Amino acid sequence: MMLKINYIYILIAFSCCKPDPLVFITNNAYLQFAFRDSLKSTDIAEVYLDSMIYSFGAVPNHIDEAVVAIPIKLIGQPQSQDRRYNVRVQHCCENGLEDGIRISETILRSNSSSDTLFLTVSRSLVHKEDFVNIDLYLDNSEGFTNESVISRHFRCKFTEKLLEPDWWFSWRSKFGQFHQEVYRKWIEIYYPGSDPSDPVGKDKRGYCWYNMPSTTAFNEVPVTFYYIQRLRAYFEQNIVYPDGNINEQRILLPRL
């Protein structure tokens, strides 16, 4: 019986000594990027993204820079004084246009458990590239030790391309295969305020190109279908090729 008890004790001892990389030293303060994943986060648990994409293709040509707001969250106790933290910025471009990237002041204010980092990127930095990746790293500083933090790296991706929106898959039978040319024309046609319908569901913003109805039933969103008809008519009356490539089939929307 004594041998059995000793054997159990040895197992417990070894399991207790196993290092856990997620255990924080309570006397230290840590910071992490806290860009919320709205699809996976719940009322019980927050889930954070490690990257985001910004498309200049979805904004007017006269907009010459993007400002991205990135939340910063404190792990530890707020303090009664301001504390400066370090953010290291790296990007992939070879032309070295460092002047095209700026970040806001990196200070966690007194008695605060969060901050917002503003990253400003010039459109000229992105103009000749398919994608520009800008990596942000929370480095150690006098008031924060961030080596053990999982969410200490955040990647911001910038492009001039119009990227396929999440709603396109649900509406694919009406819009067809994704093409930037179709999406760009849809942004022009179905602008905010063009649809007087009362939105249904949780999102009470007016329907438009970036806030599409969750339903694809004609009788529930007839105004949306009216604009889809206008979109279809445009591509029937104008010959447009994907990316201007005349060797491809011209763009036509499916018939309803």
Side-chain angles (χ1 to χ4, degrees):
M1 184 68 179
M2 181 62 69
L3 288 176
K4 186 175 182 180
I5 293 174
N6 288 340
Y7 178 65
I8 294 174
Y9 175 80
I10 291 172
L11 286 178
I12 294 174
F14 272 98
S15 65
C16 291
C17 294
K18 184 179 180 180
D20 185 354
L22 299 180
V23 173
F24 297 103
I25 301 173
T26 55
N27 292 332
N28 289 343
Y30 310 85
L31 293 175
Q32 68 174 2
F33 292 111
F35 203 98
R36 189 174 185 269
D37 187 335
S38 59
L39 297 177
K40 296 182 179 179
S41 294
T42 66
D43 294 337
I44 300 174
E46 290 280 323
V47 178
Y48 302 127
L49 296 170
D50 60 5
S51 64
M52 55 77 64
I53 299 177
Y54 182 95
S55 171
F56 279 105
V59 299
N61 291 330
H62 69 271
I63 303 295
D64 57 7
E65 64 180 20
V67 180
V68 178
I70 305 169
I72 306 290
K73 184 177 180 180
L74 171 68
I75 303 173
Q77 294 297 319
Q79 300 293 330
S80 57
Q81 71 276 359
D82 292 349
R83 289 179 286 177
R84 185 174 296 277
Y85 58 92
N86 294 333
V87 176
R88 177 164 43 95
V89 183
Q90 294 181 346
H91 72 96
C92 70
C93 300
E94 297 178 356
N95 54 18
L97 293 176
E98 298 293 343
D99 290 341
I101 303 173
R102 303 191 309 275
I103 60 172
S104 59
E105 191 175 34
T106 54
I107 294 179
L108 184 69
R109 299 299 178 182
S110 61
N111 301 313
S112 178
S113 58
S114 63
D115 187 39
T116 301
L117 179 71
F118 294 96
L119 171 68
T120 302
V121 176
S122 171
R123 193 167 194 163
S124 62
L125 189 70
V126 184
H127 182 63
K128 295 182 179 180
E129 304 285 341
D130 284 343
F131 281 93
V132 169
N133 296 330
I134 298 176
D135 294 312
L136 306 175
Y137 297 89
L138 286 165
D139 284 341
N140 289 346
S141 56
E142 184 176 348
F144 304 98
T145 304
N146 296 315
E147 288 160 335
S148 61
V149 177
I150 296 175
S151 302
R152 62 187 292 260
H153 166 239
F154 191 79
R155 169 166 286 185
C156 298
K157 304 176 182 180
F158 295 86
T159 182
E160 280 281 359
K161 291 184 175 182
L162 271 176
L163 303 176
E164 182 175 339
D166 293 337
W167 57 260
W168 197 280
F169 180 80
S170 299
W171 286 87
R172 193 181 181 91
S173 63
K174 316 299 188 254
F175 286 84
Q177 178 184 348
F178 177 77
H179 294 292
Q180 291 188 70
E181 294 82 359
V182 176
Y183 193 18
R184 187 169 288 111
K185 194 63 181 179
W186 185 237
I187 291 173
E188 177 185 329
I189 291 176
Y190 203 44
Y191 57 86
S194 63
D195 190 341
S197 306
D198 291 329
V200 296
K202 294 181 180 179
D203 195 342
K204 297 301 182 183
R205 297 175 300 170
Y207 291 139
C208 62
W209 64 269
Y210 61 78
N211 186 42
M212 289 289 285
S214 57
T215 176
T216 59
F218 171 82
N219 62 332
E220 295 189 40
V221 285
V223 178
T224 305
F225 276 81
Y226 161 75
Y227 284 106
I228 293 175
Q229 291 282 21
R230 286 184 53 186
L231 181 70
R232 179 181 296 100
Y234 172 84
F235 286 97
E236 290 175 349
Q237 298 164 10
N238 298 271
I239 299 176
V240 181
Y241 297 98
D243 297 323
N245 186 352
I246 61 175
N247 295 319
E248 298 283 342
Q249 289 186 346
R250 63 175 291 194
I251 298 174
L252 290 170
L253 270 65
R255 303 301 300 178
L256 292 181

